[in-house]
C-alpha cells in the first residue's frame, strides 16, 4: 500500500488518505475490512469536490484496471475494465467508426467514474445519461463478492450503482453500447446569443436540429445582458466531410498558478476576447477532440486556479426564471465566476437512484475558492435551487448541506440501503446517510 | 505486420509496450506465470488491434520448458521479428542480505533465466539471420550499490551476457537490444516514494519500441539516464562507496 496524494479536480477540499490500493488486475482488487472511514473506489479524480475523496480512509485506485475485454466493431458494443479512460476508448473505437454514446467535457475520466456519476453531455436531449447505455456491469461487494447487474438483472442494485458515487461496490467492468459514426469530424454551428431570452429561444431550436448542443455563458455580463454567450451545436459529420488528423500532443500547466491569475478582471478580459472571436454565426467542421474536449488541450488546467483550488457549482432547475435569478446572482457576486455552461436537459429518464439529470435547465460555473465569500455565494444559490425543487450535482459539489442533498435526491434512503457497508466517502459522510459512520 | 514474442507479458512495462505493437496490428505470443492475467492482457491487445494473440504459461525458472516455449512461439508466428524478455522481481534487499536462498532466487529470476531465454531465441533466430532479441535490464546493473546490489548483480549479469551475445551474433542479422529503464512507477516500485526521476510505463514505452526497432545495442529510458549512468560509472570506487545511493 502506498500513500501518494490523490486529489479531486477542484483540489478543494483536500483529503488525507490512510492508504491507496492500486490493483493492476481484477483478481487483485480487494475491499479492505471496514475501518473507521472505509474505502472508496477512485478513478482519475475528474470529479470536482469530495465525492471521489475519502478523508481519513482508504482509496482503491482503479486507474491500472484499464484493459479492454472485448470490442465488437460490428455491433458497436464494448466490454472493458472500469479504469479505461474515455481517451483510451476513443483511440480504439473512433478509427473503427464508433463513438461513446454520451460524454462529459473531458475524456480523462474512467468508464467506472462515468457510471458512478451517471455523467451527461451535450446530447442529453437525445440520448439521456451515460447510464442509459450501460448494458451490464460487474461489481465487487464486500458482502456478496462479485455481482453482475444491469437494467434487467438485479435492476435495483444497478439503479443504485448508476450515479451511486462509488458507494455500492467496486465497479470492475462494464458493457457499453456505442454510437455509430461515419467520421471523427463534427459539423458545428456557432452563434452569439445576446441574453437569456435569446438563449431559451435559440437553444430550443438548436435542440431540434442538432444532436449536441451547449451554450457558453459570460457569467460576468452586466445585468442588461444576463445570459449572453455563444450557442454551440454540432452533429457527427458524414463521411464526405474532409477529415483532419488528430491534434498532436497537448500543453501542460506545469506549476500552480498564482492566486491572482483567475480574478474578475482576467475572466472579464477572457470573456470579451472569446465573445469577439465568436461574434458571428458560423458553421465549421472540426475534429471531435476540440468540440467535446476543448479544455483537455491544457493538461492540468485546474492548476490555473493555484493552490487555493476551485469549486464548480452545477444545478438543474425546472423553472427558467429560477435560472435567470441564479445567473443574476452569480454576476452580482463580484466573484470571478468563469466557464459558465448552460444547457436544457431532455425528458429521457435517468436510470440511477442518485442520477442528477432531470428535465430543466442546467448550469455549471467554476468559481475560484476564496473561502467565506465563495461559500456564502454557494449557500445563496443552493437556497434558490432548493426553493424551486431543483438539484445539485454530487460530482461537482463541495458545499451542499444534508438538506440540499435530501431535497435534490429524495430517494437517497434507497441508496443508503443498497450501499456497500465497507465503502464510504467524504461526500457521503458530509451529506448522506442519517446514521453516523460508526467504528466497526 | 511485426510478429512479436513477449516473455513477462504481465509486467507493467511489457503491457505498455505491447499496446503500441497491438495498435499497429502485430501478431503476438504472450508468456508469463499467470494464465488468467495473460488472458486479460491478450484480450486487451486484441481489442486494440493486434492481428492475433496467443498466451503461454511458463515460469522463468522452469528452464527445462524454455525450449518448448520457443517451439510454440515459432509455430504460432513462423518467424518472430521481435522477442522481448521483460520479466523480473525486485527482491527485498534487506532480507536478501541475510538469506542466501533469497540471493540465489533473485539472481536466478532476474539474471540467469533472462540470459537463458535470450540465448534460446538467439540460437533459433541465427540460422534464418533474422530478428531482434530485446531484454529489459535496468540502470541498477551498471554499478553495485549498497542499497540494491542483489538486483543490480542480476541485471549486471544480463548486461554482460547480452554484450557477449551481441558480439557473437555480429554480421548474422540478429540484433540484441539491452533496454535499461531508470525508476519506473510500477507495482515493483510501489513501496518507493516517487520523485521527479520516476517515469510511467506508458511514458517510456514509445522509447523502448523505438530502441528495439532501431536495434540500439543499449538504450537508457528515459534518455537522461544515459548521461547520469555515464557519470556514475566513471566515479572511482572510493568515492562511489561513500555515495548515499
Amino acid at each position: 500500500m502506498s500513500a501518494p496524494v490523490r486529489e479531486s479536480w477542484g483540489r478543494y477540499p483536500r483529503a488525507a488518505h490512510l492508504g491507496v490500493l492500486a490493483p493492476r488486475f481484477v483478481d487483485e482488487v480487494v475491499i479492505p475490512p471496514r475501518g473507521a472511514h472505509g474505502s472508496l473506489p477512485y478513478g482519475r479524480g475528474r470529479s470536482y469536490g469530495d465525492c471521489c475523496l475519502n478523508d481519513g480512509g482508504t482509496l482503491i485506485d482503479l486507474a491500472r484496471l484499464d484493459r479492454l475485454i472485448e470490442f465488437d466493431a460490428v455491433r458497436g458494443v464494448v466490454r472493458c475494465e472500469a479504469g479505461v479512460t474515455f481517451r483510451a476508448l476513443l483511440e480504439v473505437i473512433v478509427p473503427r467508426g464508433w463513438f461513446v454514446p454520451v460524454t462529459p467535457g473531458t475524456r480523462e475520466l474512467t468508464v467506472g467514474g462515468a457510471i458512478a456519476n451517471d455523467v451527461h453531455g451535450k446530447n442529453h436531449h437525445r440520448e439521456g445519461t451515460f447510464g442509459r447505455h450501460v448494458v451490464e456491469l460487474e461489481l465487487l461487494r464486500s458482502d456478496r463478492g462479485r455481482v453482475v447487474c444491469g437494467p434487467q438483472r438485479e435492476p435495483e442494485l444497478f439503479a443504485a450503482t448508476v450515479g451511486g458515487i462509488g458507494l455500492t461496490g467496486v465497479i470492475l467492468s462494464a458493457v457499453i453500447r456505442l454510437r455509430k459514426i461515419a467520421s471523427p469530424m463534427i459539423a458545428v454551428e456557432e452563434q452569439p446569443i445576446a441574453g437569456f431570452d435569446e438563449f431559451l429561444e435559440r437553444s430550443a431550436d438548436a435542440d431540434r436540429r442538432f444532436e449536441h448542443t451547449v451554450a457558453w455563458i459570460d457569467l460576468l455580463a452586466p445585468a442588461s445582458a444576463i445570459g449572453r454567450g455563444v450557442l454551440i451545436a454540432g452533429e457527427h459529420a458524414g463521411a464526405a466531410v474532409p477529415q483532419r488528423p488528430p491534434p498532436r500532443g497537448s500543453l501542460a500547466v506545469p506549476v500552480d498558478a498564482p492566486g491572482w491569475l483567475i480574478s474578475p478582471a482576467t475572466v472579464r478580459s477572457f470573456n470579451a476576447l472569446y465573445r469577439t472571436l465568436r461574434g458571428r454565426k458560423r458553421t465549421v467542421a472540426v475534429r471531435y477532440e476540440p468540440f467535446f474536449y476543448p479544455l483537455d488541450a491544457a493538461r492540468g488546467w485546474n492548476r490555473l486556479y493555484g493552490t487555493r483550488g476551485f469549486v464548480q457549482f452545477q444545478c438543474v432547475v425546472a423553472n427558467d426564471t429560477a435560472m435567470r435569478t441564479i445567473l443574476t446572482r452569480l454576476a452580482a457576486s463580484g466573484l470571478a465566476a468563469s466557464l459558465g455552461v448552460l444547457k436544457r436537459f431532455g425528458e429521457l429518464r435517468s436510470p440511477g437512484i442518485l442520477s442528477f439529470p432531470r428535465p430543466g435547465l442546467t448550469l455549471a460555473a467554476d468559481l475560484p475558492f476564496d473561502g467565506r465569500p465563495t461559500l456564502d455565494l454557494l449557500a445563496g444559490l443552493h437556497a434558490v435551487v432548493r426553493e424551486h425543487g431543483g438539484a445539485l450535482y454530487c460530482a461537482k459539489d463541495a458545499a451542499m448541506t444534508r438538506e440540499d442533498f435530501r431535497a435534490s435526491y429524495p430517494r437517497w434512503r434507497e441508496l443508503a440501503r443498497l450501499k456497500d457497508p465497507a465503502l464510504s466517502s467524504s461526500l457521503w459522510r458530509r451529506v448522506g446517510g442519517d446514521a453516523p459512520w460508526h467504528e466497526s | 505486420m511485426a510478429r512479436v514474442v513477449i516473455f513477462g507479458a504481465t509486467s507493467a512495462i511489457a503491457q505498455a509496450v505491447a499496446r503500441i505493437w497491438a495498435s499497429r496490428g502485430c501478431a503476438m505470443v504472450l508468456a508469463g506465470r499467470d494464465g488468467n492475467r495473460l488472458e486479460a492482457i491478450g484480450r486487451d491487445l486484441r481489442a486494440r488491434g493486434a492481428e492475433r494473440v496467443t498466451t503461454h504459461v511458463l515460469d522463468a525458472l522452469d528452464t527445462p520448458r524454455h525450449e518448448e516455449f520457443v517451439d510454440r512461439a515459432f509455430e504460432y508466428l513462423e518467424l518472430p521479428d521481435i522477442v522481448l524478455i521483460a520479466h523480473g522481481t525486485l527482491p527485498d534487499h534487506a532480507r536478501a542480505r541475510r538469506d542466501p536462498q533469497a540471493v540465489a532466487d533473485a539472481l536466478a529470476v532476474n539474471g540467469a533465466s533472462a540470459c537463458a531465454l535470450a540465448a534460446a531465441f538467439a540460437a533459433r533466430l541465427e540460422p534464418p539471420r533474422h530478428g531482434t532479441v530485446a531484454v529489459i535490464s535496468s540502470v541498477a546493473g551498471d554499478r553495485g550499490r549498497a542499497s540494491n546490489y542483489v538486483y543490480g548483480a542480476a541485471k549486471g549479469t544480463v548486461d554482460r551476457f547480452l554484450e557477449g551475445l551481441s558480439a557473437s551474433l555480429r554480421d548474422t542479422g540478429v540484433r540484441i537490444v539491452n533496454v535499461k529503464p531508470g525508476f519506473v512507477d510500477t507495482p515493483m516500485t510501489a513501496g518507493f516514494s516517487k520523485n521527479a526521476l520516476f517515469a510511467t510505463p506508458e511514458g517510456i514505452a514509445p522509447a523502448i519500441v523505438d530502441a528495439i526497432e532501431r536495434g540500439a545495442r543499449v538504450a537508457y529510458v528515459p534518455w537522461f539516464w544515459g548521461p547520469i549512468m555515464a557519470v556514475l560509472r566513471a566515479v572511482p570506487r572510493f568515492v562511489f562507496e561513500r555515495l548515499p545511493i
Side-chain angles (χ1 to χ4, degrees), chain A residues 63-309:
Chain A
R64 291 268 169 220
L65 225 61
D66 65 345
R67 294 177 198 90
L68 302 176
I69 300 169
E70 196 170 12
F71 170 39
D72 182 340
V74 177
R75 285 166 55 234
V77 178
V78 69
R79 181 188 290 270
C80 64
E81 293 177 352
V84 169
T85 62
F86 278 37
R87 177 190 286 274
L89 196 51
L90 290 164
E91 278 170 10
V92 172
I93 66 176
V94 168
R96 293 161 82 177
W98 296 95
F99 205 76
V100 286
V102 165
T103 179
T106 178
R107 63 191 144 150
E108 310 299 350
L109 80 165
T110 64
V111 167
I115 296 169
N117 293 286
D118 198 17
V119 299
H120 57 272
K122 297 176 171 67
N123 63 351
H124 185 271
H125 59 289
R126 297 273 173 94
E127 298 294 338
T129 66
F130 188 78
R132 289 178 63 93
H133 306 272
V134 176
V135 179
E136 65 173 39
L137 56 86
E138 188 178 17
L139 273 181
L140 177 70
R141 284 189 57 106
S142 66
D143 51 357
R144 296 177 60 191
R146 291 202 199 177
V147 188
V148 175
C149 63
Q152 270 84 47
R153 190 168 170 184
E154 301 234 19
E156 215 186 10
L157 184 58
F158 182 73
T161 301
V162 173
I165 44 178
L167 297 170
T168 62
V170 178
I171 300 173
L172 297 175
S173 66
V175 180
I176 313 296
R177 246 189 322 271
L178 303 171
R179 185 212 188 282
K180 184 121 194 92
I181 52 170
S183 161
M185 304 294 288
I186 308 286
V188 185
E189 180 185 288
E190 288 175 349
Q191 55 182 311
I193 40 177
F196 189 63
D197 291 324
E198 196 170 291
F199 162 81
L200 293 176
E201 184 189 316
R202 298 268 175 97
S203 71
D205 172 59
D207 286 350
R208 277 189 291 277
R209 293 187 293 127
F210 290 90
E211 176 172 346
H212 302 282
T213 65
V214 74
W216 169 82
I217 300 293
D218 179 355
L219 295 172
L220 301 185
S224 58
I226 287 293
R228 77 178 171 194
V230 179
L231 181 64
I232 302 156
E235 289 277 282
H236 292 281
V241 173
Q243 296 184 10
R244 252 174 271 149
R248 291 168 61 99
S250 59
L251 292 171
V253 176
V255 291
D256 294 326
W260 49 261
L261 184 72
I262 295 185
S263 64
T266 54
V267 172
R268 247 183 218 108
S269 313
F270 174 85
N271 290 355
L273 179 66
Y274 190 82
R275 281 190 302 113
T276 310
L277 292 174
R278 298 281 183 273
R280 276 208 236 124
K281 182 164 179 168
R282 63 168 194 159
T283 55
V284 287
V286 300
R287 271 187 67 95
Y288 74 86
E289 295 94 340
F291 180 76
F292 288 109
Y293 314 114
L295 292 171
D296 285 353
R299 266 180 294 135
W301 61 262
N302 53 347
R303 303 183 79 178
L304 291 174
Y305 286 91
T307 50
R308 63 186 161 165

Side-chain angles (χ1 to χ4, degrees), chain B residues 7 14 23 29-30 33 36-37 46 55 57 71 83 88 95 120 129-130 149 159 184 206 221:
Chain B
F7 186 86
S23 69
V29 177
L30 310 177
R33 268 183 305 180
N36 289 331
R37 293 182 182 184
R46 271 182 221 118
T55 60
V57 176
D71 288 341
V83 177
R95 188 177 145 231
R129 305 175 69 82
H130 176 88
Y149 59 83
D159 293 345
V184 186
V221 287

